[in-house]
Each structure stands twice: as C-alpha cells, then as structure tokens.
C-alpha cells in the first residue's frame, strides 16, 4: 500500500511540474541566442540570435505526455521536459 501511495504521489508531482510549451520555446530561444552570441558578436548585437530562436520555435511540435513533455523539430526530439526542468538534446545537424 505504501508503494502504491508513493508511486501515485510521484506521478502527481511529475504531472504538476510538467513544463509547458511556452517554457520549452523560451528555453530553445535562449539557447539559440547563446549559441549565436558565442559564434558572432556582431550578429548577436543585431539580434539575429533572437530571430533564429524565434524562427526555430515557430516550427516546433509539442508533445505533452502529462508526466513529461517533448518538443520536436522536423520529427527529431530536441528537448525533453520533466519536473520543471528542460533538457536540450544535441541535434544531428549540429
């Protein structure tokens, strides 16, 4: 009985802390900005990193599995969200 209660409690916590699509998009935009900043400071100053991140975010597919979430770009999983955390996976094209 304790194990069942503990399992239900963990599932409820994961359900309540599952990151939203907006959280995934924000994470992706920020990581694109940081990547662009590292590559070229002139483009970064012009705001190109933000535009690149927003363009990428417009093409995302969000999959909510209630206790975790995924975002895909061109059918490839690029972020996994779990317990208020978002993890960026390396893309095959990078």
């Amino acid at each position: 009985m304790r194990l069942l209660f503990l399992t239900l409690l963990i599932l409820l916590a994961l359900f309540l802390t599952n990151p939203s699509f907006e959280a995934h998009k924000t994470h992706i935009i920020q990581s694109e900005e940081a990547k662009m900043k590292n590559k070229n400071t002139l483009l970064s100053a012009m705001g190109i990193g933000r535009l690149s991140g927003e363009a990428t975010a417009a093409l995302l597919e969000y999959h909510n599995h209630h206790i975790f979430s995924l975002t895909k770009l061109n059918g490839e999983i690029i972020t996994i969200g779990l317990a208020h955390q978002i993890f960026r996976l390396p893309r095959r094209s990078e």
Side-chain angles (χ1 to χ4, degrees), residues 11 13-28 60-73 76-89:
L11 289 174
L14 290 173
F15 176 77
L16 294 174
T17 60
N18 187 21
S20 68
F21 184 41
E22 289 301 316
H24 280 269
K25 285 196 309 188
T26 300
H27 182 81
I28 291 166
L60 294 174
E61 301 171 40
Y62 177 70
H63 299 272
N64 184 359
H65 296 282
H66 304 295
I67 58 172
F68 69 95
S69 51
L70 307 169
T71 52
K72 292 183 177 183
L73 181 64
E76 181 182 347
I77 298 171
I78 60 171
T79 60
I80 298 174
L82 179 70
H84 280 304
Q85 300 294 314
I86 299 172
F87 305 97
R88 180 85 188 251
L89 302 176

